[in-house]
């Protein structure tokens, strides 16, 4: 309860919600994203983002340890760095140029994984280990909450809207005999799919903007906790 009334806790929670939520949105929609851009084997990107996710956890944990032990600087600065990386990755998804799917998958995967190495360690340092299990699991609520909001209410809605617009244009271009068939398809009996960069362009820009907000929140947390980390790790300075 002491943690729940602290501004630092909610800064961390909101930053995690924006960062990891935007990353999980990509993971949830990676199949449709690759399909809309003409890639036949979406499972390749799913495998790749899983690998980058793992490496992000290892790299994020290592970088944050270097920051706190060698410089006695707040651990959330590493979180801000990886959120910048994620913001750039989302921009690559939005551009949808040839090959940018691979770069976006790399950057977002690394950034998403880093959240789950940095946040638990920072939470233990700032709020202690007495109720760490409860605190950590409360923080993990940010993951499904972010996915529900960003994937379910933003990315999916925009995708469906763009798919509907494309279906309407295609529908109007058909001859009258085929129009009845297309009406049945458009009305929901068959899944309407979106193709092209426009499908996730706006969603990716929004996700990039959310990551930018997360960076600001992480830097505010860095400023507020700099004395705490200085007291914790000043003895480890070389």
């Amino acid at each position: 309860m002491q943690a729940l009334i602290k501004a630092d806790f909610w800064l961390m929670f909101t930053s995690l919600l924006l960062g990891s939520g935007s990353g999980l949105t990509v993971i949830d929609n990676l199949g449709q994203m690759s399909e809309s851009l003409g890639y036949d084997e979406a499972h390749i990107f799913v495998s790749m983002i899983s690998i980058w996710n793992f490496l992000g956890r290892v790299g994020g944990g290592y970088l944050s340890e270097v920051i706190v032990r060698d410089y006695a600087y707040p651990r959330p600065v590493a979180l801000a760095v990886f959120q910048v990386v994620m913001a750039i990755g989302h921009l690559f998804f939005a551009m949808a140029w040839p090959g940018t799917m691979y770069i976006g998958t790399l950057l977002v995967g690394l950034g998403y994984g880093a959240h789950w190495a940095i946040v638990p360690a920072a939470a233990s340092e700032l709020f202690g280990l007495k109720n760490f299990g409860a605190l950590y699991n409360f923080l993990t609520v940010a993951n499904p909450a972010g996915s529900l909001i960003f994937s379910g209410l933003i990315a999916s809605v925009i995708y469906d809207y763009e798919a509907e617009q494309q279906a309407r244009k295609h529908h109007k271009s058909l001859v009258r005999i085929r129009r009845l068939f297309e009406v049945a398809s458009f009305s929901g009996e068959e899944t309407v799919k979106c193709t092209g960069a426009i499908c996730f362009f706006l969603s990716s820009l929004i996700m990039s903007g959310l990551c930018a907000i997360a960076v600001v929140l992480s830097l505010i947390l860095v400023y507020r906790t700099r004395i705490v980390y200085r007291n914790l790790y000043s003895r480890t300075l070389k």
Side-chain angles (χ1 to χ4, degrees), residues 16-37:
L16 178 62
L17 185 148
L18 297 176
S20 69
S22 67
L24 194 57
T25 298
V26 170
I27 296 174
D28 290 343
N29 295 278
L30 199 56
Q32 285 183 319
M33 294 174 72
S34 59
E35 185 181 13
S36 67
L37 295 177

Side-chain angles (χ1 to χ4, degrees), residues 41-228:
E41 298 180 345
H43 68 275
I44 294 178
F45 294 101
V46 176
S47 300
M48 287 176 58
I49 204 167
S50 299
I51 295 171
W52 304 135
N53 180 7
F54 163 74
L55 294 177
R57 294 173 189 246
V58 176
Y62 177 78
L63 176 63
S64 67
E65 285 298 318
V66 171
I67 290 173
V68 297
R69 296 192 180 279
D70 293 352
Y71 301 98
Y73 210 65
R75 194 181 297 270
V77 73
L79 189 62
V81 170
F82 281 99
Q83 286 166 344
V84 170
V85 171
M86 288 188 70
I88 297 172
H90 286 300
L91 289 178
F92 274 105
F93 281 128
M95 290 185 293
W97 295 337
T100 53
M101 270 290 295
Y102 295 95
I103 302 175
T105 301
L106 166 64
L107 298 180
V108 172
L110 289 174
Y112 175 78
H115 279 74
W116 299 107
I118 299 170
V119 170
S124 68
E125 292 162 338
L126 296 176
F127 308 111
L129 295 173
K130 185 177 180 180
N131 297 298
F132 176 72
L135 287 173
Y136 173 72
N137 284 286
F138 187 92
L139 285 169
T140 60
V141 173
N143 210 35
S147 176
L148 174 64
I149 298 171
F150 305 146
S151 181
L153 300 180
I154 296 179
S156 295
V157 171
I158 294 175
Y159 178 89
D160 290 342
Y161 172 79
E162 296 295 344
E164 180 181 338
Q165 294 301 309
Q166 290 184 3
R168 288 184 185 276
K169 292 178 181 179
H170 180 64
H171 179 68
K172 291 178 181 179
S173 67
L174 296 176
V175 294
R176 190 171 182 177
I177 297 176
R178 299 185 58 193
R179 186 171 298 175
L180 293 175
F181 172 77
E182 292 299 331
V183 169
S185 175
F186 177 71
S187 62
E189 294 183 9
E190 295 182 8
T191 302
V192 179
K193 295 183 178 180
C194 179
T195 57
I198 192 63
C199 302
F200 288 94
F201 174 75
L202 181 58
S203 298
S204 296
L205 289 182
I206 293 174
M207 295 304 115
S208 182
L210 293 174
C211 285
I213 297 174
V215 171
V216 174
L217 295 178
S218 295
L219 293 178
I220 294 174
L221 184 61
V222 168
Y223 178 78
R224 290 174 57 90
T225 59
R226 65 194 189 284
I227 296 176
V228 175

